[in-house]
Amino acid sequence: MRGAVVAAVLAMAASPAVAQEAGDHKDYGEDPARKLSIAAVTFENFGVAVRCMDGSLSVVLSGLPVATGTRTVRYRMGDSEETDGEWISGRDSTSAFTVWPRFVAAGMSRGGRLAMSVPDGDGARQYAVDLPASAASIGRVFRNCGHDLEASIADTAPSREDLAGLVWRRTPEPSFPSQASYNVGLAGVTCHVRDNGRLRDCRVESEFPEGSGFGRAATYGAHRTGQVAQADGSTGGMAGRRVSFLVRYQALNWHD
């Protein structure tokens, strides 16, 4: 494995460079012992990586302003529309992980100009970098995590939470994982809707911290108790719609 690439992307702490025109280093690497594969591109003081670690897919940006918890990043990839996305940082971290990694990584695989506006104190830090097309390396990362890159490219990416024009009739009620080692956490979940508004085929798009069990608990709760309806309270005409939502955990309570 090209350890230098992984280290540069995941441990980078210097101030970010702005408007870089070409990557200084792009690579793919694997570490079977850690069940890790990563496709990365690094710039002078900024990095982007798509990673599969122990079956969990993530996209991480490094070299950002220091922050803790959820941060909203406004970004545009190539010719796509500018959108707001939710990213998660550890305590006083210069790295951030997207809540919707499958969709963000699929967009990045085609390459192009990545422009971002990242909160920085009372203002925002602007970034513009040119990402190389990397369908082969990102595709390998996807396969290692059990995902299909082509299917994800064809899917519609959520920016934040998206109930497809519907409203909650019954909000999912997941239990706090009994074996959780963390007091707080978050899971990003997508589900499809049955005609009666109940949820099916729910999948974990991300969980924080990784391996915490929050994602599994969230999907179980969504299948068991979640139900949506038309805004006028009716059911029917909803079959096949996809909803995307977040589940936040704190101690024994959660809110959405």
Side-chain angles (χ1 to χ4, degrees), residues 229-249:
Q230 302 283 6
D232 61 6
S234 65
T235 58
M238 299 179 289
R241 296 197 201 183
R242 191 198 71 195
V243 295
S244 308
F245 56 95
L246 304 180
V247 177
R248 295 181 173 90
Y249 293 84

Side-chain angles (χ1 to χ4, degrees), residues 145-186:
C145 260
H147 297 300
D148 185 324
L149 177 58
E150 291 301 320
S152 296
I153 289 175
D155 207 348
T156 303
S159 58
R160 293 187 178 181
E161 298 178 277
D162 183 1
L163 294 185
L166 305 173
V167 296
W168 287 117
R169 170 169 283 191
R170 185 179 181 187
T171 305
E173 299 175 358
S175 300
F176 198 94
S178 60
Q179 302 300 317
S181 302
Y182 306 93
N183 292 325
V184 295
L186 179 147

Side-chain angles (χ1 to χ4, degrees), residues 38-60:
I38 187 168
V41 55
T42 61
F43 300 86
E44 182 179 349
N45 290 308
F46 178 72
V48 182
V50 179
R51 185 189 73 175
C52 177
M53 187 169 184
D54 200 20
S56 179
L57 183 71
S58 59
V59 176
V60 57

